[in-house]
Amino acid sequence: MESPAFSLGPERHLITKVPLLIPRLKQDRDRLGGGWGSISASWGSGQIERRRITRSQYVEDMLFLLYPELKKPLRECRLLDLGSGLGTNAIPAAKIVRSVFGIDTNAPHVNRAREWAEREGLDNVTFRVGSATDLDLGPFDIVLCDYLLEHVEDPNSLISVIARHLEPHGAYFLSTNNKWWPLEGHYGLPIPLISWLPRAWANRYVRLMRFGTEYSVYPISWNRLEELLERNELTWSLKPPTRPYTAAQKVGKRLVQISPAFWKIANVFQVVGRRKESAK
């Protein structure tokens, strides 16, 4: 049985079709849904538990968004997590997929991620200190690039890594900040309009606000991101959050369902896709 790739309302969607076997879908849904209860027991209680459960639900949502692009069960998938940080995506994902490889430039974060994996008794997740843009490991079934692109000065260097590390029928998930969103949230307090300014002026703005010496964030416009995805022969489909947690997310999701034009001013781009047939 065949089903078209996942899309929402008037959004642009992929024209390729992906076989979705109903028994496999049900099995993976059970696998995704059944793991979270046991996770909370090992995390403790209170705010930390709630935050980590919310994060696990976010990972679950990512996997469901890219699921229609896959041609094998999640339990058989090898996953690459670019910019893995403290392991907040990699550890929950390792409970679902076959194996996870995470890479991050921050050595203390990588060490904490390794300690967390050890506490969870996971032997199918590996973390390495290094730059994602220098990676050359061969293909994976799933590539996650979650809020990393805006920290890379040359976005094509990272998108080319995504394309290079995808199996022919693998899938990627990319999320990043929109250059034209009016508030910059990377400094704890929102800074209005800084991403709209030339880099030299933005650096002065940061120094004036005493947040540092330079504006080291590189949000991207949708036109530029689409151009880079096309250049690297990646299909794309914009996806609103599956489970919006804030009023702004709920309003934003409704707006892009009404008209895809609202993606131009969205706070965040969430993109799912795979390699084009011509690139396989």
Side-chain angles (χ1 to χ4, degrees):
M1 157 176 177
E2 286 192 334
S3 175
F6 181 85
S7 63
L8 287 173
E11 286 182 49
R12 175 176 174 175
H13 59 82
L14 307 179
I15 61 173
T16 54
K17 292 187 176 182
V18 183
L20 292 181
L21 302 179
I22 297 304
R24 173 168 69 84
L25 180 59
K26 182 180 185 303
Q27 186 179 45
D28 280 337
R29 285 186 182 275
D30 292 342
R31 185 175 176 81
L32 281 166
W36 310 118
S38 60
I39 293 174
S40 62
S42 63
W43 277 348
S45 59
Q47 185 177 8
I48 293 177
E49 179 185 359
R50 290 193 296 272
R51 290 182 65 184
R52 289 187 174 175
I53 288 177
T54 299
R55 190 66 192 185
S56 292
Q57 290 173 337
Y58 176 70
V59 172
E60 176 185 342
D61 291 345
M62 281 195 292
L63 294 177
F64 268 129
L65 286 177
L66 61 77
Y67 186 91
E69 306 303 322
L70 297 173
K71 285 196 173 182
K72 62 169 64 174
L74 287 168
R75 71 178 183 278
E76 297 178 10
C77 290
R78 296 173 62 248
L79 184 148
L80 174 61
D81 186 12
L82 302 174
S84 52
L86 296 167
T88 49
N89 288 341
I91 300 291
K95 298 173 184 287
I96 300 166
V97 300
R98 175 184 170 187
S99 65
V100 175
F101 185 96
I103 186 166
D104 198 278
T105 57
N106 190 314
H109 284 183
V110 170
N111 289 333
R112 289 176 64 183
R114 288 169 177 162
E115 292 169 1
W116 183 13
E118 185 176 352
R119 289 195 305 270
E120 294 287 332
L122 297 171
D123 59 4
N124 66 333
V125 56
T126 302
F127 294 102
R128 178 191 294 179
V129 178
S131 171
T133 56
D134 297 331
L135 205 59
D136 189 10
L137 291 177
F140 287 76
D141 302 295
I142 297 171
V143 177
L144 301 184
C145 185
D146 188 35
Y147 293 108
L148 177 62
L149 190 67
E150 66 272 19
H151 298 288
V152 177
E153 188 171 0
D154 176 14
N156 188 64
S157 66
L158 187 57
I159 293 175
S160 65
V161 168
I162 295 174
R164 190 168 66 245
H165 284 83
L166 271 179
E167 289 278 8
H169 298 293
Y172 74 90
F173 175 93
L174 183 152
S175 62
T176 192
N177 296 102
N178 183 358
K179 174 184 176 67
W180 299 117
W181 181 252
L183 298 176
E184 170 58 72
H186 282 89
Y187 293 88
L189 295 174
I191 307 177
L193 308 181
I194 188 170
S195 61
W196 298 12
L197 300 176
R199 185 62 49 173
W201 293 12
N203 291 339
R204 292 173 191 159
Y205 196 165
V206 168
R207 290 195 291 270
L208 179 65
M209 299 290 289
R210 298 185 177 180
F211 285 127
T213 59
E214 63 178 1
Y215 180 49
S216 56
V217 186
Y218 306 92
I220 193 169
S221 69
W222 172 248
N223 287 345
R224 174 64 171 154
L225 180 55
E226 182 185 9
E227 173 195 338
L228 294 177
L229 294 173
E230 295 286 347
R231 179 192 302 179
N232 287 278
E233 298 191 84
L234 293 171
T235 66
W236 60 265
S237 182
L238 284 160
K239 304 292 185 184
T242 303
R243 285 180 278 198
Y245 295 103
T246 67
Q249 287 179 340
K250 292 175 181 177
V251 171
K253 180 174 182 177
R254 180 58 182 152
L255 288 175
V256 297
Q257 287 177 323
I258 292 172
S259 171
F262 283 107
W263 278 113
K264 299 279 187 179
I265 57 170
N267 179 14
V268 171
F269 303 125
Q270 286 193 160
V271 188
V272 168
R274 57 181 180 172
R275 291 168 60 189
K276 290 184 177 180
E277 293 294 332
S278 58
K280 295 174 184 177

